[in-house]
């Protein structure tokens, strides 16, 4: 990893280094005095404690020595065989030294001779043999010794001294019990600081003397403590400086222990002192260290800051000033009076700024001059460039125009080429079309030639474009005289007539007959029809001249025959009618019912025959133009009522209801009364005939200012759609009508139409198969 040095200003860097070094020095110097001082303090404390312990031990030793010594001195006063005297000596000894509370004299055999105690008196029998005891044997061998520690009934510790008696001839020994309480006072008085504790252990490590006697009574063994072990086992002095000399005592306090062995007794004296007490002097040293460190640190800090401010203030000023000068303010001058190198540097900067200013002014002047020159040159260049650009633009324009012209020319050439190819194609197409037309024309001409009818064709402008041979013959005219001319421009009565017919028709299909002059009195039926192209455009007109002379002659003959036959039939039919009437009315005698019914049927058949004959006669008259009308003013409403009345019998037979709402005002017309009645009869008859039994027939009448409108509506079988256009033709009968009503002539509507039209009226109908029909006619009102 690369250690990155943070970016810091020079002043801060120096301040940082100063602080680090200052603090390091401070810490080092302090530690140099602190550490030895600390260890010395510790040693001093331990030494002091040890000194006191040594003194205590010395006192304890002296105490024991003193007691032993006094016993030995006592032994010198004892005499063999002088028992009472010896007893007296013992008593005095005990009174003098209260710390001994029992003293015994043992003879050379080991038997107790005298036993004196402070608390009781022993009689002869209470004296025992102590030959086996170790003390006695050792003392008899000449060794003075001190026993282990014992405790009496009051739990007071004591030791037994045994010393030989040299003044006896045969040797003997004194044993004396010594209370240790006196020695304990010596030990308790040993103090190092207020909380120290001195105690004594015996050669087994048992606590035998302690400021707290209850602990002693507990018979505690302290041989586990390291210092105790060192003293009683190794007879070593414990100086408190080893690690194991510090331990937690029974109160849980960390203590520092020193100790010395009590040589003669094999015991040990130990002084414990709480560590914090022993080292209390250390705390003040550490506090001193911290204070010195803090004060030293603060002064380093402030001095450092002052130093940096003093050293780097002018430098910052210098830096700021150079920035201002660097930014172009050449009049700015640095004012630093430190009297050192920084001031010199500032002066040098000021001088440099002055020189710069001069150079700048000079340069500016130069630049200005040069700018002027350059500007002049640039203007010149600009003008030249402008001229060049203008010329370029003009050239560009010319070039563009040329290119455009070239493109146009190329396009025109392409177009011309395309047009040429298209023309060629068209020419080819035209040629093909022409050929096809030629073929068509030949075909048409062949057809036309083979036609028996004459044919003239006019184009859309009315010019004759085609005429066949038959037409030439019929019109007695030459093809060349008529082609590419209008009909109006051509001479001849028939052509004139045809022209009139065409003008009248205005594009519809029409037939008209004209009579040709001449000996043979030919009759032509002229049909004209518009020729409509695929695009529904009128292409022209075709005129067909059909020779109907022969048909007309045959028709006339037929009509004449019908007239004659009808006339001839009418007379016998009338005779039969009246004869039958006479018989039926009983004028010729009574007839039976059966006879009457049969004759009635015959009468009705005869009636139908009469009607048929009348119809036929009327038709023949119409066709021959002999149907004569006699017009008079009549009341139309009364005529309608009269006609209805004449129907009642046949209506009753079929149980049909005829409804007629009589208008309030009367309607007058100029008409042939009988013929109008005939027309109305025919319409009403049909309505009844073609309605089912029990049906309704409604007759209505209305009028406006000009015309009346009459209608007959039924709810009968109606007329099939495909037959509707033939309904007014002669002899036509609907196929559904033939199935239901076998009788009928198919002449009624033909007649009615003729009659109404001859009165200047119109006739029409509305019908739907199996729903019913309504027949209407209108007639002009009388003025
Ligand atoms: P006819 O009634 O004697 O047959 P018409 O000339 O009166 O002759 O009628 C011609 C035909 O028109 C009839 O045969 C019938 O088919 C049809 N027709 C006329 N009137 C009606 C009507 N009201 N309802 C249905 N069909 C009719």
């Amino acid at each position: 990893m690369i250690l990155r040095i943070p970016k810091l200003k020079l002043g801060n860097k120096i301040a940082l280094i100063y602080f680090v070094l200052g603090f390091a020095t401070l810490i080092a110097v302090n530690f140099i005095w602190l550490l030895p001082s600390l260890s010395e303090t510790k040693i001093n404390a331990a030494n002091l404690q040890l000194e006191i312990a040594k003194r205590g031990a010395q006192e304890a030793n002296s105490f024991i020595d003193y007691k032993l010594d006094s016993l030995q001195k006592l032994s010198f006063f004892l005499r063999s065989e002088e028992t009472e005297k010896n007893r007296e000596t013992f008593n005095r000894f005990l009174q003098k030294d209260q710390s001994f509370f029992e003293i015994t004299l043992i003879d050379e055999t080991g038997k107790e001779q005298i036993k004196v105690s402070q608390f009781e008196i022993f009689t002869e029998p209470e004296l025992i043999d102590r030959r086996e005891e170790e003390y006695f044997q050792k003392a008899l061998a000449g060794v003075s010794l001190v026993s282990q520690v014992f405790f009496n009934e009051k739990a007071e510790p004591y030791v037994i001294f045994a010393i030989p008696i040299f003044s006896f001839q045969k040797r003997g020994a004194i044993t004396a019990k010594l209370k240790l309480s006196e020695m304990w006072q010596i030990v308790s008085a040993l103090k190092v600081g207020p909380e120290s504790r001195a105690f004594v252990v015996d050669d087994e490590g048992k606590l035998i003397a302690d400021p707290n006697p209850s602990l002693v009574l507990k018979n505690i063994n302290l041989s586990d403590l390291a210092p105790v072990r060192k003293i009683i086992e190794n007879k070593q002095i414990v100086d408190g400086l080893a690690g194991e000399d510090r331990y937690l005592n029974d109160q849980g306090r960390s203590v520092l222990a020193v100790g010395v062995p009590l040589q003669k007794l094999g015991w040990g004296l130990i002084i414990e002192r709480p560590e914090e007490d022993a080292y209390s002097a250390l705390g003040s040293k550490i506090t001193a260290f911290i204070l010195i460190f803090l004060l030293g640190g603060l002064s380093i800090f402030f001095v450092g800051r002052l130093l940096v401010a003093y050293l780097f203030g002018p430098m910052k000023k210098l830096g700021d000033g150079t920035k201002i000068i660097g930014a172009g303010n050449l009049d700015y001058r640095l004012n630093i009076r430190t009297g050192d190198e920084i001031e010199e540097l500032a002066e040098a900067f000021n001088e440099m700024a002055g020189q710069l200013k001069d150079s700048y002014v000079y340069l500016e002047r130069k630049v200005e001059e040069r700018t002027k020159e350059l500007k002049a040159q640039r203007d010149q260049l600009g003008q030249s460039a402008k001229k060049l650009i203008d010329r370029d633009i003009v050239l560009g324009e010319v070039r563009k125009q040329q290119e455009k012209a070239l493109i146009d020319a190329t396009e025109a050439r392409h177009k011309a080429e395309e047009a040429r190819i298209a023309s060629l194609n068209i020419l080819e197409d035209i040629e093909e079309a022409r050929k096809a037309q030629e073929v068509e024309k030949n075909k048409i001409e062949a057809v036309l030639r083979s036609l028996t009818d004459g044919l003239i064709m006019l184009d859309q402008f009315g010019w004759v474009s085609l005429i066949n041979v038959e037409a030439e013959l019929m019109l007695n005219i030459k093809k060349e005289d008529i082609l590419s001319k209008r009909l109006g421009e051509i001479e001849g009565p028939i052509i004139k007539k045809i022209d009139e017919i065409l003008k009248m028709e205005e594009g519809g299909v029409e037939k008209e007959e004209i009579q040709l002059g001449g000996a043979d009195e030919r009759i032509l039926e002229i049909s004209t029809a518009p020729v409509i192209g695929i695009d529904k455009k009128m292409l022209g007109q075709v005129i067909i001249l059909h020779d109907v002379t022969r048909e007309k002659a045959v028709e006339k003959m037929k009509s004449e025959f019908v007239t004659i036959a009808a006339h001839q039939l009418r007379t016998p039919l009338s005779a039969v009618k009246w004869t039958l009437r006479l018989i039926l009315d009983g004028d010729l005698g009574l007839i039976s019912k059966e006879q009457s019914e049969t004759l009635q049927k015959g009468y009705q058949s005869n009636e139908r025959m009469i009607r048929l004959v009348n119809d036929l006669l009327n038709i023949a008259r119409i066709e021959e133009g002999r149907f004569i009308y006699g017009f008079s003013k009549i009341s139309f409403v009364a005529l309608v009522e009269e006609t209805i009345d004449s129907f009642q019998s046949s209506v009753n037979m079929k149980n049909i209801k005829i409804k007629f709402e009589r208008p309030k005002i009367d309607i007058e017309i100029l008409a042939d009364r009988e013929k109008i009645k005939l027309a109305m009869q025919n319409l009403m008859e049909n309505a009844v005939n073609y309605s089912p039994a029990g049906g309704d027939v409604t007759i209505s009448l209305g009028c406006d200012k000009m015309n009346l409108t009459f209608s007959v509506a039924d709810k009968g079988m109606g007329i099939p759609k495909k037959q509707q256009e033939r309904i007014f033709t002669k002899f036509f009968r609907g196929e559904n009508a033939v199935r239901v009503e076998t009788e009928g002539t198919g002449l009624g509507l033909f007649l009615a139409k003729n009659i109404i039209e001859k009165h200047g009226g119109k006739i029409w109908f509305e019908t739907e198969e199996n729903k019913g029909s309504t027949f209407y006619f209108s007639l002009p009102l009388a003025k």
Side-chain angles (χ1 to χ4, degrees):
M1 203 178 83
I2 300 161
L3 187 72
R4 276 179 189 275
I5 298 168
K7 275 194 175 178
L8 284 174
K9 294 207 167 177
L10 186 61
N12 291 339
K13 278 183 192 169
I14 289 176
L16 190 71
I17 292 166
Y18 169 80
F19 289 138
V20 170
L21 287 177
F23 277 108
T25 314
L26 195 66
I27 291 167
V29 167
N30 266 304
F31 274 110
I32 286 167
W33 72 261
L34 181 71
L35 293 179
S37 163
L38 286 180
S39 79
E40 195 187 300
T41 308
K42 279 186 187 175
I43 291 167
N44 286 345
N47 283 346
L48 174 69
Q49 208 172 326
L50 188 60
E51 276 312 306
I52 290 169
K54 279 181 181 165
R55 209 184 63 218
Q58 215 173 357
E59 279 179 26
N61 276 332
S62 308
F63 172 76
I64 295 296
D65 284 347
Y66 173 76
K67 295 299 173 190
L68 266 179
D69 197 42
S70 63
L71 266 184
Q72 278 166 357
K73 278 183 184 155
L74 177 72
S75 70
F76 292 125
F77 291 101
L78 299 176
R79 296 288 171 262
S80 356
E81 314 301 332
E82 290 179 17
T83 310
E84 279 314 309
K85 210 176 172 188
N86 288 342
R87 189 187 303 276
E88 189 62 21
T89 310
F90 273 14
N91 277 332
R92 273 206 309 272
F93 181 78
L94 287 186
Q95 275 166 10
K96 209 175 114 198
D97 192 345
Q98 301 262 320
S99 54
F100 287 104
F101 64 92
E102 193 184 290
I103 187 162
T104 311
L105 180 79
I106 303 165
D107 65 16
E108 73 279 358
T109 61
K111 197 169 175 296
E112 288 180 341
Q113 278 194 344
I114 307 164
K115 195 170 189 175
V116 180
S117 165
Q118 284 188 347
F119 313 114
E120 52 194 318
I121 297 165
F122 295 96
T123 56
E124 188 68 40
E126 285 171 306
L127 300 174
I128 53 170
D129 189 352
R130 293 176 58 182
R131 197 179 341 178
E132 300 299 323
E133 283 180 17
E134 197 188 348
Y135 312 110
F136 169 71
Q137 287 169 359
K138 283 199 175 164
L140 214 57
V143 179
S144 299
L145 56 102
V146 184
S147 73
Q148 67 186 88
V149 179
F150 297 102
F151 293 90
N152 64 12
E153 318 70 78
K154 288 184 192 162
E156 290 166 338
Y158 65 94
V159 285
I160 301 169
F161 285 2
I163 56 163
I165 307 172
F166 295 108
S167 57
F168 279 20
Q169 287 165 358
K170 290 182 181 167
R171 281 273 175 94
I174 299 170
T175 61
K177 291 182 180 174
L178 175 76
K179 286 191 268 182
L180 291 176
S181 47
E182 205 175 317
M183 196 170 96
W184 299 160
Q185 279 164 14
I186 296 167
V187 172
S188 303
L190 295 174
K191 281 277 174 203
V192 198
E195 289 179 275
S196 70
R197 168 191 172 214
F199 60 90
V200 181
V201 290
D202 68 7
D203 53 355
E204 286 173 351
K206 274 192 216 148
L207 184 68
I208 53 170
D210 193 275
N212 182 0
S214 65
L215 288 179
V216 176
L217 294 181
K218 283 182 188 161
N219 209 9
I220 298 168
N221 192 317
L222 294 175
S223 58
D224 282 345
L225 283 179
V228 173
R229 223 174 24 248
K230 277 195 255 179
I231 294 163
I232 60 173
E233 280 175 14
N234 308 337
K235 307 290 175 206
Q236 197 184 322
I237 290 173
V238 170
D239 57 10
L241 296 174
E244 63 266 26
D245 300 343
R246 278 183 209 93
Y247 54 87
L248 289 180
N249 70 0
D250 52 343
Q251 287 160 19
R253 295 183 79 173
S254 174
V255 291
L256 178 72
V258 296
V260 281
L262 301 180
Q263 295 299 347
K264 291 209 175 104
L265 303 166
W267 305 346
L269 169 70
I270 291 139
I271 300 178
E272 275 181 1
R273 187 184 183 188
E275 216 172 351
E276 77 234 25
D277 185 22
Y279 296 153
S280 59
L282 289 185
S284 58
K285 287 203 169 127
I286 290 169
T287 314
F289 168 77
I290 292 169
L291 275 175
I292 291 169
F293 185 77
L294 283 178
L295 288 173
L298 277 174
S299 53
I300 285 172
F301 180 76
F302 285 113
V303 169
R305 288 207 54 130
L306 282 173
L307 202 67
V308 168
Y310 174 73
L311 280 177
F312 290 94
M315 268 171 89
K316 191 172 179 306
K317 224 169 153 189
L318 185 71
D320 292 346
T322 52
K323 265 187 208 159
I324 293 168
I325 294 168
N329 186 357
L330 296 178
D331 294 325
Y332 186 83
R333 290 292 175 270
L334 295 164
N335 183 17
I336 296 172
R337 295 283 166 258
T338 51
D340 55 13
E341 288 87 340
I342 296 175
E343 189 181 330
E344 280 171 23
L345 201 62
E347 285 307 319
F349 258 108
N350 286 343
E351 212 168 297
M352 190 182 75
Q355 281 171 1
L356 265 176
K357 169 102 187 168
D358 294 347
S359 316
Y360 185 73
V361 169
Y362 173 75
L363 265 177
E364 258 195 350
R365 213 174 48 241
K366 277 276 165 201
V367 165
E368 210 171 306
E369 283 167 13
R370 188 77 190 119
T371 310
K372 266 185 201 158
E373 278 171 28
L374 279 173
K375 197 167 176 294
Q377 280 175 4
R378 199 193 59 201
D379 289 350
Q380 244 175 0
L381 264 174
Q383 276 168 3
S384 315
K386 199 169 174 305
K387 277 180 197 162
L388 274 172
I389 289 166
D390 288 349
R391 209 194 57 192
D392 240 30
I393 290 168
V394 172
L395 277 174
E397 242 353 275
V398 169
R399 208 193 55 219
K400 265 190 209 157
Q401 278 173 7
Q402 278 175 352
E403 275 171 5
K404 199 168 174 292
L406 196 69
I407 290 166
D408 288 352
T410 316
E411 262 176 28
R413 201 168 55 78
H414 281 313
K415 277 189 187 153
E417 188 65 17
E418 277 169 18
R420 198 179 62 81
I421 292 166
S423 308
L424 282 178
N425 287 342
I426 290 166
L427 280 176
E428 268 172 32
D429 291 350
I430 289 171
E431 186 56 26
E432 270 172 29
R434 202 184 56 74
K435 279 182 193 158
Q437 234 180 10
E438 194 76 13
V439 172
E440 278 306 303
K441 204 178 139 204
N442 288 343
K443 272 193 215 164
I444 290 168
E445 276 179 357
V447 171
L448 289 180
R449 261 198 307 277
S450 60
L451 267 182
T452 52
D453 286 348
L455 186 137
I456 303 168
M457 207 167 150
L458 307 181
D459 65 15
Q460 71 242 60
F461 308 110
W463 292 348
V464 177
S465 61
L466 203 137
I467 181 164
N468 71 348
V469 182
E470 210 58 37
E472 279 180 284
L473 289 172
M474 280 177 183
L475 301 175
N476 193 22
I477 206 163
K478 284 256 154 33
K479 199 179 186 176
E480 309 78 74
D481 298 336
I482 189 167
L483 275 180
S484 302
K485 283 185 182 165
R486 289 177 189 276
L487 288 183
E489 296 167 5
I490 302 160
E491 289 300 315
I494 302 161
I495 299 282
K496 286 266 177 300
K497 183 80 184 164
I498 295 170
D499 194 28
E500 274 167 31
I501 295 168
L502 281 177
K503 277 177 187 154
M504 264 166 26
E505 284 162 11
E506 290 169 1
V509 182
E510 203 60 43
K511 275 182 185 170
E512 195 90 11
E513 285 173 10
I514 53 171
Q515 185 108 38
L516 297 181
D520 50 0
E521 287 197 336
R522 289 174 73 183
I523 300 166
L524 292 184
E525 189 190 71
I526 299 170
S527 320
T528 61
V531 180
I532 310 289
I534 310 165
D535 52 357
K536 305 247 166 86
K537 258 194 192 162
M538 172 106 159
L539 297 178
Q541 273 180 313
V542 56
I543 302 156
I544 292 167
L545 310 170
H546 183 52
D547 191 338
V548 290
T549 317
R550 209 178 125 69
E551 285 164 30
K552 283 286 162 185
V554 172
E555 213 168 284
K556 199 180 167 210
M557 278 158 66
K558 194 178 80 188
S559 183
E560 277 168 0
F561 166 75
V562 170
T563 313
I564 293 164
H567 271 296
Q568 293 304 318
L569 280 171
R570 257 218 317 201
T571 322
L573 285 172
S574 294
V576 170
K577 175 181 164 131
W578 292 117
T579 310
L580 285 174
R581 194 74 261 161
L582 280 174
I583 297 168
L584 279 168
D585 288 350
D587 291 346
L588 299 178
L590 282 172
I591 52 167
S592 67
K593 202 180 168 203
E594 289 91 54
Q595 287 170 333
S596 169
E597 279 172 4
T598 314
L599 287 173
Q600 189 68 41
K601 281 181 189 161
Y603 182 81
Q604 273 165 8
S605 297
N606 193 55
E607 277 295 294
R608 276 200 299 275
M609 276 301 279
I610 293 168
R611 258 202 323 271
L612 173 65
V613 167
N614 281 338
D615 280 351
L616 284 171
L617 270 175
N618 282 336
I619 301 287
R621 280 193 202 116
I622 287 168
E623 285 181 342
E624 287 168 24
R626 292 185 295 107
F627 202 54
I628 312 292
Y629 291 85
F631 291 93
S632 61
K633 222 176 214 177
I634 58 163
S635 161
F636 192 75
V637 180
L639 184 62
V640 173
E641 281 181 327
E642 192 186 310
T643 316
I644 293 170
D645 284 345
S646 71
F647 256 91
Q648 278 318 326
S649 62
S650 59
V651 162
N652 287 345
M653 261 166 40
K654 274 188 94 173
N655 193 22
I656 282 177
K657 239 182 267 155
I658 294 194
K659 292 182 191 161
F660 172 57
E661 210 168 293
R662 192 182 196 281
K664 299 227 165 75
I665 47 152
D666 198 15
I667 300 167
E668 282 199 324
I669 58 166
L670 204 60
D672 186 321
R673 200 168 189 282
E674 284 313 308
K675 298 223 166 56
I676 293 290
K677 189 176 174 185
L678 186 65
M680 281 200 285
Q681 265 175 347
N682 276 328
L683 296 182
M684 288 185 204
E685 215 170 53
N686 285 345
V688 171
N689 284 342
Y690 303 120
S691 284
D696 287 346
V697 170
T698 309
I699 293 166
S700 309
L701 184 57
C703 73
D704 58 19
K705 280 180 185 161
M706 303 292 288
N707 297 301
L708 68 82
T709 307
F710 170 84
S711 68
V712 183
D714 64 64
K715 289 176 181 153
M717 64 180 68
I719 303 158
K721 199 155 195 161
K722 60 180 183 194
Q723 294 187 321
Q724 284 175 8
E725 61 180 19
R726 293 165 60 200
I727 210 79
F728 290 111
T729 52
K730 223 179 353 177
F731 299 112
F732 173 76
R733 299 205 66 214
E735 55 191 23
N736 55 344
V738 175
R739 253 181 270 133
V740 176
E741 182 74 45
T742 45
E743 289 171 10
T745 58
L747 294 172
L749 287 178
F750 178 78
L751 255 174
K753 185 174 190 292
N754 256 284
I755 293 166
I756 297 300
E757 284 180 353
K758 274 285 182 301
H759 279 82
K762 269 189 193 163
I763 186 163
W764 71 96
F765 63 93
E766 287 164 0
T767 181
E768 199 175 330
E769 209 174 349
N770 298 323
K771 290 242 169 108
S773 319
T774 306
F775 277 83
Y776 303 85
F777 67 73
S778 67
L779 287 171
L781 299 179
K783 301 215 169 94

